[in-house]
Amino acid sequence: MTGKRTFGGIPADYAGFAEATVLLQPLLYDGTSTWGKGADQGYAAFLEATDNMELYDIETGTEVYRRGIHLLPPRTGFGSPEEMYRDTLNCTRELLATGKFLTCFGGEHSVSIGVIEAFDEHYPGLSVLQIDAHTDLRPEYLGSPYNHACALHAASQRGNLVQVGIRSMDASEVEYVQPDNCFYMHELRRDTYWMDRAVSRLHDPVYLTLDLDALDPSIMPATGTPEPGGLLWYELLAFLRKVFTEREVVGFDMVELAPVDGLHAPQFLAAKLYYKMLTYKFEL
């Protein structure tokens, strides 16, 4: 998976570290998930799906892989949530120093805690856009602040957090929600202008963390906690295109793909979505 393998089987000329505009860092951790397991297997399924994906984007008439996409060795083998947090924080700090566009692939959502902290250090005044079914705002859960249920708590305390797609939360999280910045799914259904309002709450630069359970389980069942009533494919793409064209997105992660045996569509969706996000970043 690491050796000479490339994203989507792209030629080596576009896959080396020196040539690449984009870095893809796998963070293979699933140590705190409390129901559906398997998010640490998501990257392998995602990468296999890229091998079967057309690399020409019809919407934009481009091939963003020509900007260069380099696969970094997976970070794995963590003994505790705290060890995972420290490793991802330090790794992200080092990668940001390269000046390349850094993307990460989980793993459960707890992997984003250290990543976002490093981005916040590197980019003063950072906004965080969370696209997710869950608020993930608990200060700690099951004895750790680095649990997947706490993925965005620290970010909410440091600065500007905008949450989109939310439809599940614990009562204990209500006090940490920024009301004007939280876009609940039941409200989006009757708000024609929700995309404009959500983008207006973001200021540059922006880090985007995308939990795949934000999508409706009819098209994304392969997550640890699938919630009914989520975003659909073109709805999400329209919002992402708006975010990438109107704001300066400096990095993103994608998390919570937990493959289902015999079901290939979810990982293909994740591969296509990742590639679309790069296309919106560099080709619009």
Side-chain angles (χ1 to χ4, degrees):
M1 185 163 59
T2 55
K4 294 183 179 179
R5 190 166 189 179
T6 65
F7 176 92
I10 63 176
D13 289 350
Y14 299 106
F17 181 88
E19 299 82 14
T21 299
V22 178
L23 301 180
L24 173 50
Q25 176 64 71
L27 302 169
L28 309 188
Y29 181 71
D30 192 31
T32 75
S33 57
T34 48
W35 190 23
K37 291 287 189 178
D40 55 339
Q41 305 300 312
Y43 177 68
F46 159 85
L47 199 57
E48 182 180 7
T50 71
D51 291 339
N52 297 281
M53 181 181 71
E54 302 288 2
L55 296 174
Y56 174 76
D57 182 70
I58 296 173
E59 181 185 3
T60 60
T62 64
E63 295 177 304
V64 72
Y65 80 83
R66 294 179 181 276
R67 303 273 183 157
I69 303 171
H70 178 68
L71 303 180
L72 292 160
R75 313 293 292 191
T76 189
F78 307 113
S80 68
E82 291 72 22
E83 182 183 342
M84 175 277 300
Y85 158 73
R86 288 192 297 270
D87 183 87
T88 54
L89 174 62
N90 292 329
C91 170
T92 305
R93 285 170 172 164
E94 293 174 4
L95 293 173
L96 286 173
T98 68
K100 295 180 181 291
F101 187 79
L102 177 60
T103 66
C104 299
F105 197 98
E108 60 169 64
H109 211 165
S110 63
V111 302
S112 303
I113 299 173
V115 174
I116 293 172
E117 183 176 337
F119 268 86
D120 189 66
E121 293 172 355
H122 194 80
Y123 293 100
L126 185 76
S127 285
V128 176
L129 171 59
Q130 173 196 5
I131 303 178
D132 201 328
H134 309 88
T135 45
D136 293 339
L137 292 176
R138 301 187 200 205
E140 64 89 28
Y141 189 61
L142 299 180
S144 175
Y146 307 117
N147 189 284
H148 72 101
C150 314
L152 275 300
H153 178 76
S156 75
Q157 301 304 291
R158 281 195 301 265
N160 188 46
L161 171 66
V162 176
Q163 301 175 290
V164 169
I166 303 300
R167 54 196 189 276
S168 180
M169 64 189 298
D170 186 75
S172 65
E173 299 175 81
V174 174
E175 66 178 288
Y176 302 110
V177 171
Q178 301 173 24
D180 292 338
N181 284 12
C182 190
F183 294 81
Y184 298 104
M185 278 304 303
H186 71 278
E187 296 175 341
L188 303 192
R189 295 304 182 190
R190 56 177 183 264
D191 183 355
T192 304
Y193 303 103
W194 73 264
M195 294 187 192
D196 295 312
R197 295 197 302 111
V199 173
S200 75
R201 301 301 301 173
L202 295 165
H203 52 68
D204 289 334
V206 174
Y207 182 83
L208 196 163
T209 180
L210 197 158
D211 188 326
L212 288 165
D213 67 23
L215 288 156
D216 192 80
S218 63
I219 61 170
M220 179 45 71
T223 68
T225 315
E227 292 281 349
L231 294 161
L232 296 176
W233 176 251
Y234 284 108
E235 183 179 25
L236 178 57
L237 288 190
F239 179 56
L240 289 172
R241 179 166 182 147
K242 189 173 187 64
V243 170
F244 277 92
T245 55
E246 297 186 16
R247 294 293 182 267
E248 182 193 4
V249 178
V250 293
F252 65 79
D253 66 57
M254 184 179 293
V255 298
E256 298 285 355
L257 175 65
V260 176
D261 288 344
L263 188 61
H264 302 299
Q267 47 261 39
F268 194 83
L269 184 155
K272 192 91 171 182
L273 183 57
Y274 175 88
Y275 198 66
K276 272 288 190 184
M277 292 167 73
L278 292 184
T279 299
Y280 291 160
K281 169 64 180 177
F282 293 107
E283 302 296 348
L284 291 177

